[in-house]
Amino acid sequence: MNLCVVAMPGSEHCGEQIAEHLGVARCRLESRRFPDREIYLRMLDEVQGQHVAVVAQLRDPDPQLPGLLFLADALRELGASSVGLVAPYLPYMRQDIRFHAGEAITSRSFARLVSNAFAWLVTMDPHLHRVASLDAIYDLRAVAVPSAASIAAWVRTEVMNPHIVGPDEESEQWVRDVAARADCCYSVLRKHRSGDRSVELTLPDLDPLRGRTPVLVDDIISSGQTMATTVRELVAMGLAAPICIGVHPVFAGDALTVLEAAGASRIVSCHTLQHPTNAIDVTIPLAEAVRAVATDRERNP
Ligand code: R5P
C-alpha cells in the first residue's frame, strides 16, 4: 500500500503502533521551537506520491494546532498524494451550539480548519451529541471508529458480573453497544451540568445493579466530575465500588486524584491519548480504518 505515517511531536508511540500494524513506513519529522516559540518543521523522508497519515494525539490541542495545519500544508507541497489526519481523540466537539448569546461554536470552526487542511480523518468515538454525525460539520472523508468492541472485550475478561452504567443520556450510544457485546445489562443516568466542574445526577431504579459490579463507561473524562459524582452516588446507594472506563482519558488537572478519591475500584482507558490509565488497546481498529481509507483513495484518487 502506498501509505506512510507521520507522527506529530508527542504522538510518536501511537504513530509507531499504527505503522507497525499496517506494515508501512514511518516518515521522520524534525520539529523544534524557535526562540520566540514559533514552530519549525522539516520532513526528513520523501513523501512524494504517497498517502500520508498524520497521527496526532490531541490532548491540549491549542498549542498543537498551528503545527498540525502547517505540516499538512508542507506535506501537500512536498507532493503527497493525500494527507489525512488520524486523531484518535477529536477535540472541540462539545461546544456544538451557542449556549449563550455571542459564544463561538468552536466545534464548527475547528471542523472547518481541519477540513481545509486534510483530505480525510480517522477518529474514535467523537462526542456526537447535538450534532448527529461528523459529516454535518466536517467537509472531508470522516471515519468514526467505535471503541465498543475493544471495551466489551476488556469487560468480558476483567469483570465478574458486570452491569454497565452511562452517566448521562448521550453516553447511551456507547453504553448500549458495550453492554450488548459484553452480554450484560445497562442503566443510564441523567446529568445536569451547572458549570465546568459542577454536575448533578438523577438516578434510575438501581435495583438491577445489586450484587453486580457497576462499570461506568463514558466517552471523555475531562475534569473527572461526571465520573466522580456517579461513583459517589452509586457507593452511597450501597452498591459495589465501580470500575470507571473512559474512551478518551483527557484527565485535566487533578481529575485522576478526584476520581480515585471518589472511590472507584479501578480506572481504565483506551489508548486514544497517552495516560497511566491506558489498558484497552485500540490500535487495530484505528489502523484498519486508516488502511480502508487509504485503499479507497488509491482506487478513487
Ligand atoms: C459530555 O457529556 C461527555 O460525554 C462527558 O460526560 C464529559 O465530557 C465529562 O466531562 P468531565 O470529566 O469534565 O465531567
Side-chain angles (χ1 to χ4, degrees):
M1 192 175 17
N2 204 8
L3 169 71
C4 69
V5 169
V6 177
M8 282 293 286
S11 302
E12 290 83 358
H13 181 66
C14 183
E16 245 166 54
Q17 301 280 98
I18 289 174
E20 195 176 305
H21 177 79
L22 293 172
V24 302
R26 235 196 85 193
C27 290
R28 290 165 306 150
L29 168 68
E30 182 187 340
S31 161
R32 63 182 176 83
R33 296 270 171 189
F34 288 106
D36 60 3
R37 305 295 298 152
E38 287 184 2
I39 196 161
Y40 171 88
L41 299 167
R42 180 186 177 195
M43 284 307 303
L44 299 175
D45 295 308
E46 187 63 61
V47 294
Q48 170 100 36
Q50 303 212 55
H51 297 284
V52 182
V54 175
V55 174
Q57 291 186 297
L58 295 175
R59 173 189 287 117
D60 197 9
D62 293 12
Q64 297 195 60
L65 189 57
L68 191 62
L69 302 179
F70 298 154
L71 177 61
D73 212 22
L75 290 166
R76 271 194 311 273
E77 284 181 7
L78 292 168
S81 295
S82 78
V83 183
L85 172 62
V86 184
Y89 166 60
L90 191 60
Y92 278 113
M93 285 299 288
R94 285 171 291 174
Q95 182 80 31
D96 54 5
I97 56 165
R98 196 165 278 128
F99 297 96
H100 302 103
E103 285 178 348
I105 305 176
T106 45
S107 65
R108 284 175 197 239
S109 305
F110 186 79
R112 267 194 290 273
L113 286 171
V114 169
S115 302
N116 286 336
F118 293 92
W120 48 271
L121 165 70
V122 169
T123 188
M124 178 158 270
D125 285 334
H127 185 80
L128 294 170
H129 182 194
R130 287 156 289 253
V131 170
S133 80
L134 286 177
D135 294 340
I137 53 173
Y138 278 82
D139 186 18
L140 43 56
R141 166 90 194 275
V143 181
V145 181
S147 64
S150 310
I151 294 178
W154 186 90
V155 170
R156 275 180 175 277
T157 319
E158 299 285 329
V159 188
M160 294 276 286
N161 288 329
H163 185 109
I164 313 293
V165 178
D168 52 26
E169 285 146 316
E170 62 259 40
S171 69
E172 181 158 4
Q173 53 190 305
W174 302 289
V175 163
R176 189 192 318 117
D177 201 3
V178 170
R181 290 166 185 272
D183 199 17
C184 61
C185 297
Y186 73 92
S187 304
V188 174
L189 283 53
R190 292 166 78 95
K191 177 171 85 181
H192 173 69
R193 185 184 279 283
S194 46
D196 288 348
R197 290 170 190 274
S198 173
V199 162
E200 281 159 41
L201 296 171
T202 309
L203 306 183
D205 172 18
L206 294 177
D207 265 356
L209 273 97
R210 306 240 169 248
R212 306 214 150 245
T213 308
V215 180
L216 313 191
V217 177
D218 203 1
D219 59 339
I220 303 168
I221 304 179
S222 179
S223 71
Q225 289 300 333
T226 299
M227 281 277 188
T229 308
T230 312
V231 168
R232 279 193 292 268
E233 296 270 5
L234 297 188
V235 171
M237 300 287 292
L239 298 172
I243 294 172
C244 296
I245 302 180
V247 179
H248 305 298
V250 172
F251 283 104
D254 62 352
L256 184 57
T257 314
V258 167
L259 189 47
E260 283 167 346
S265 66
R266 271 177 96 175
I267 304 165
V268 300
S269 65
C270 300
H271 287 80
T272 59
L273 296 167
Q274 262 186 12
H275 193 263
T277 57
N278 287 163
I280 303 173
D281 195 345
V282 288
T283 305
I284 295 177
L286 284 169
E288 286 304 326
V290 172
R291 189 200 302 279
V293 179
T295 306
D296 190 45
R297 295 291 303 200
E298 266 187 354
R299 290 191 188 136
N300 311 294

